[in-house]
Amino acid sequence: MTRLVAQIESLSAASSSGVLLDLSAVVMLLCAFACLGSKLFDRYVTYYAIQSIVLAFAAAVVGHALGQPDLWVLAVATLLIKGIAIPLATRRFLLDRLELHRDVAISTGLSTSLILGAALTTFAFLAIRPATLPHALVASAVVPISTAIILLGGLCMVVRRHTIAQLIGWLILENGVFLGAITLTATFPFIVEAGVFLDLVAAVLIMITFVSGLANRLATASAPELRGLRD
Amino acid sequence: MTALVALVPVLPLLAAFAPLAGLRARGLGLAIAATGVGALACAIAVAVDVGRHGAYEAFAGFLYVDALSTFFTITIALVVTLAGVGSIAYLRTEERRHELDLLQVRLYTIFFALFAGLMLASLETGNLGLLWVLIEASTLASAVLVGLEAKARSLEAAWKYIIISSFGVTMALVATLFLYYAATPLVLLSPNQRLTWPALFAHAHLLEHDSLRLAFLLAVIGYGTKVGLAPMHTWLPDAHSEAPSPASAMLSAALLNTGMYAIIRFQAIALPELGRYTNRVLLVFGFASILIGALFMVRRGNFKRLFAYSSVEHMGIISVALGFGGVLGVYGALLHTLNHAIGKCVLFLTSGELVQRWRTRETREVSGALTAAPLVGGVLLLGSLAIVGSPPFGLFLSEFTIIRAGFRGSSLLAFLLLALLVIAFIAFMRGTAGMATGEQHPVDDETTASVSAASAIPLVAGLAALLLLGLWIPSGLNDLILHSIGAIR
């Protein structure tokens, strides 16, 4: 156990793994911002795919630094499922089939969302200072950044009213959680992480089915039309 | 023992294979009901064993059953049984009317079975990560049930449900991560043990303060989304009103309780370190839910939404009871969980009967249920009286216990609770009394036929159980609740 703690501490210093991890986290944050500032469905999916591939890289870095083989498995699964399969499925079954291009169902302007996003990122850094994290176990920037990604994903879900944009927002949020998970709790039991992953895949499958079902029922699945159930 | 414990969730899961046997609606419904009865029997057997020999743990805490889990398992298994029997009638009617095709009936069976099995499994694990995985999986299974009728409205409700609860449950995952992180000082435990409830509970006072506080808050928000605590309740009325009625019964009486179970576990861990803070958090969310529930019940409209808002209110009451704390408060909370589960199950199954007869979900379009179908109308009226907490039904007793617990702490809060309960009483009865009494609306000739046994049994049995619990608490149940309280203090 103490060996493990020592290893985790090696991540926190200016070691090369720590730097790589910080760098990946920053790229992931930028992807979330890019998604927030875009209006094309195709771009959302692309940015999500890039973010997932970087997440896979980050998982591999942590796995390498800590010598945890299960993190390697997780990295490969992330790459294959989040980086390739989910973006492909979203493109083929939703974007191409429903012929979706521009997202018009945005409740705030792009610049406003970006400013809100910046405010949330600042908030994340203020709220999760490294000081609140005991023992300085992790690369200090990663936890606030993953919190910021979670908040940005949530913001995407709130300001976008199109079902696909909400789906991507949730996936970005989930990526933020995973980034936090691999660094904050690198020793998380593998079986649980595998279960979390399975749930994610099942959720995406069901959501894709619902979106295409909704799109068949309504001419477009954009949420302004989802007004049937109101109080 | 392991086999017996495992049977509780595995039996309902078996029903998922029933469509492979080529059964039709009737057979599939029977399969759901039969496995439900089996699960209930196993759950009671497990409870008896746990009562004798104490908590049971296997597979490094991945399987963990104590009195609290058995209490919730019995409650949920009971709901699964009632809703399963109700499903027989539901599936047969819908098939006869060609509202659902065979594929939809099969999907209903598969996802009902998954939903029930995963929920029961989530109550029997001591690993908080696995608990999260199972609760999220049961959410997904239930979302399919909500969208089953594949109309624009039900798909919309299902979408809203899945996106809001996925968001919420993801917060609960973050909570689990922070709890794990809060356990970092426990260097002697293995990584797996740091996520296992008994180990965490035993070392609760050693957990890191800030992370633990964050974990508890996020857990209340995350699992609270599942429970339907205001202001995270917005998915609940839509999902409950659009789902098939037996599935609504499962959502309201089983799923919400599973979320509450998770919150109780988190609170038990957080209590030694955070103290009264946990109670205050639960009180705030609880009162907000009761207020929102009572206010929205005043609106007349869809009666399934009325029942759904009543669920929000009752989850608020349970949360307030946990917030009052003490043996009396927790006792009231658990007793209320059981009573509400039975009562709401009965009411949602009744609403299914009403929807199938009147073919509407609007309150004002239904009247004279007592004359049109005396059994359904009678159960509607008595069930409503029970759910608003009038004597001699069980909910009166549990609400009374909760208010007594409130007066031990601050009488101001107890009076507030009492006032809100009165508002809820008036709002709810105004809706349902009008449906039961009054002139009989012209209804379809075919639908006035008498109630089938399959739909009558769960209604009458549930009502009888509520009456029994209002008059007398069996000593076995009393012991079980007291042991449950012992397990989390």
Side-chain angles (χ1 to χ4, degrees):
Chain A
M1 194 59 220
T2 41
R3 190 178 63 90
L4 199 58
V5 171
Q7 278 175 337
I8 297 172
E9 271 164 357
S10 75
L11 263 182
S12 65
S15 66
S16 57
S17 329
V19 171
L20 278 177
L21 190 61
D22 277 349
L23 199 63
S24 328
V26 172
V27 175
M28 284 180 67
L29 182 68
L30 288 179
C31 285
F33 265 110
C35 202
L36 204 61
S38 167
K39 257 188 175 173
L40 299 170
F41 286 114
D42 199 51
R43 295 271 173 81
Y44 296 168
V45 179
T46 310
Y47 293 135
Y48 170 68
I50 297 173
Q51 195 187 43
S52 306
I53 292 168
V54 176
L55 175 64
F57 175 71
V61 166
V62 179
H64 175 73
L66 305 186
Q68 293 247 339
D70 46 339
L71 276 176
W72 281 98
V73 179
L74 203 69
V76 174
T78 308
L79 182 65
L80 293 181
I81 293 173
K82 289 185 176 177
I84 298 171
I86 292 178
L88 264 183
T90 322
R91 279 228 172 81
R92 275 202 63 173
F93 296 115
L94 298 178
L95 300 190
D96 291 352
R97 207 194 295 162
L98 308 176
E99 293 180 354
L100 295 168
H101 302 292
R102 285 179 79 81
D103 185 0
V104 286
I106 305 181
S107 53
T108 59
L110 288 187
S111 44
T112 320
S113 349
L114 284 175
I115 292 168
L116 282 176
L120 286 177
T121 310
T122 318
F123 171 76
F125 270 87
L126 288 178
I128 313 275
R129 282 181 305 270
T132 41
L133 303 168
H135 316 298
L137 279 182
V138 282
S140 56
V142 176
V143 180
I145 289 182
S146 69
T147 316
I149 295 174
I150 293 173
L151 292 174
L152 289 179
L155 184 65
C156 262
M157 290 170 79
V158 174
V159 299
R160 303 286 157 90
R161 286 177 300 174
H162 196 287
T163 44
I164 293 175
Q166 289 179 343
L167 169 60
I168 297 286
W170 180 66
L171 286 170
I172 288 176
L173 190 152
E174 187 83 32
N175 269 356
V177 176
F178 256 78
L179 178 66
I182 54 171
T183 48
L184 197 60
T185 55
T187 52
F188 217 56
F190 177 67
I191 186 162
V192 174
E193 283 188 341
V196 173
F197 219 96
L198 266 179
D199 273 352
L200 175 85
V201 173
V204 170
L205 283 179
I206 293 176
M207 285 183 188
I208 287 181
T209 320
F210 278 166
V211 173
S212 51
L214 265 173
N216 289 340
R217 290 287 181 279
L218 311 168
T220 60
S222 83
E225 250 122 288
L226 298 184
R227 290 269 163 102
L229 297 167
R230 303 207 97 186
D231 266 308
Chain B
M1 183 66 182
T2 307
L4 191 62
V5 173
L7 265 182
V8 178
V10 167
L11 268 178
L13 280 177
L14 285 181
F17 295 100
L20 288 180
L23 297 172
R24 297 191 66 84
R26 186 190 164 84
L28 292 176
L30 276 173
I32 294 177
T35 51
V37 173
L40 180 60
C42 293
I44 293 174
V46 171
V48 170
D49 194 89
V50 168
R52 272 200 207 118
H53 304 115
Y56 176 77
E57 193 177 341
F59 304 117
F62 279 102
L63 197 67
Y64 174 78
V65 187
D66 61 9
L68 185 72
S69 5
T70 58
F71 174 78
F72 274 88
T73 342
I74 290 179
T75 310
I76 309 277
L78 188 63
V79 172
V80 172
T81 309
L82 291 176
V85 179
S87 297
I88 304 177
Y90 167 78
L91 287 178
R92 272 169 65 193
T93 316
E94 297 293 297
E95 191 189 45
R96 200 179 63 231
R97 289 195 187 156
H98 305 290
E99 297 269 344
L100 295 182
D101 56 28
L102 187 58
L103 176 68
Q104 280 171 313
V105 171
R106 286 183 175 158
L107 283 178
Y108 177 89
T109 313
I110 294 173
F111 283 96
F112 190 97
L114 279 175
F115 183 26
L118 289 168
M119 262 191 309
L120 288 168
S122 70
L123 301 172
E124 293 192 329
T125 178
N127 188 299
L128 294 173
L130 194 61
L131 172 75
W132 183 89
V133 169
L134 291 168
I135 286 186
E136 164 75 355
S138 68
T139 310
L140 296 174
S142 59
V144 177
L145 287 182
V146 174
L148 184 81
E149 291 180 357
K151 295 168 192 141
R153 285 171 66 92
S154 56
L155 280 174
E156 182 194 330
W159 174 260
K160 205 170 163 185
Y161 172 42
I162 200 168
I163 204 80
I164 295 178
S165 32
S166 297
F167 183 89
V169 174
T170 308
M171 290 302 116
L173 177 63
V174 181
T176 312
L177 294 177
F178 271 105
L179 182 62
Y180 183 75
Y181 193 64
T184 316
L186 311 177
V187 282
L188 289 177
L189 299 181
S190 73
N192 189 31
Q193 271 178 317
R194 281 193 270 149
L195 206 54
T196 309
W197 196 82
L200 282 174
F201 183 62
H203 302 93
H205 53 283
L206 293 174
L207 296 176
E208 206 281 318
H209 188 88
D210 287 331
S211 312
L212 183 65
R213 181 193 291 250
L214 205 53
F216 175 69
L217 264 181
L218 284 170
V220 172
I221 291 172
Y223 288 122
T225 313
K226 302 251 61 188
V227 176
L229 292 180
M232 293 85 73
H233 69 284
T234 44
W235 61 271
L236 196 146
D238 296 342
H240 283 60
S241 71
E242 293 306 317
S245 292
S248 310
M250 289 272 285
L251 283 176
S252 174
L255 181 88
L256 305 190
N257 289 338
T258 316
M260 196 53 100
Y261 167 82
I263 292 183
I264 294 177
R265 290 281 185 203
F266 268 85
Q267 195 209 358
I269 293 174
L271 198 59
E273 181 69 31
L274 302 182
R276 297 294 295 172
Y277 175 75
T278 61
N279 297 58
R280 280 199 295 274
V281 170
L282 288 175
L283 280 176
V284 168
F285 280 107
F287 274 111
S289 312
I290 304 178
L291 186 69
I292 295 279
L295 289 185
F296 277 93
M297 278 197 281
V298 175
R299 289 173 55 104
R300 286 185 86 164
N302 180 325
F303 53 84
K304 285 184 84 172
R305 288 181 88 84
L306 175 73
F307 296 167
Y309 277 114
S310 156
S311 294
V312 174
E313 179 224 338
H314 281 283
M315 287 301 132
I317 295 176
I318 294 171
S319 171
V320 164
L322 292 171
F324 285 152
V327 175
L328 203 58
V330 181
Y331 191 99
L334 293 180
L335 191 60
H336 199 71
T337 303
L338 178 64
N339 282 325
H340 170 255
I342 302 174
K344 208 34 85 53
C345 198
V346 168
L347 273 184
F348 270 113
L349 291 177
T350 318
S351 81
E353 286 292 312
L354 294 169
V355 171
Q356 286 188 333
R357 273 155 200 278
W358 271 268
R359 301 195 182 200
T360 177
R361 289 170 181 178
E362 292 303 310
T363 312
R364 64 171 65 83
E365 288 173 25
V366 178
S367 69
L370 269 174
T371 32
L375 182 81
V376 177
V379 172
L380 174 67
L381 200 59
L382 290 176
S384 308
L385 278 174
I387 212 79
V388 293
S390 51
F393 294 102
L395 284 105
F396 171 73
L397 209 58
S398 47
E399 284 179 2
F400 189 70
T401 314
I402 293 168
I403 290 172
R404 261 178 62 203
F407 274 113
R408 292 212 172 159
S410 121
S411 43
L412 185 70
L413 288 179
F415 275 120
L416 182 62
L417 177 61
L418 211 54
L420 287 171
L421 286 182
V422 171
I423 298 177
F425 183 101
I426 297 168
F428 194 89
M429 285 316 287
R430 202 175 67 121
T432 53
M435 289 161 66
T437 56
E439 289 279 307
Q440 182 190 345
H441 250 266
V443 285
D444 294 336
D445 37 303
E446 174 218 15
T447 49
T448 42
S450 62
V451 186
S452 70
S455 44
I457 290 171
L459 301 186
V460 175
L463 211 55
L466 277 184
L467 189 61
L468 180 77
L469 285 172
L471 300 173
W472 168 66
I473 295 177
S475 63
L477 177 65
N478 189 40
D479 288 349
L480 181 57
I481 296 181
L482 288 177
H483 283 148
S484 306
I485 298 172
I488 53 171
R489 285 176 74 87

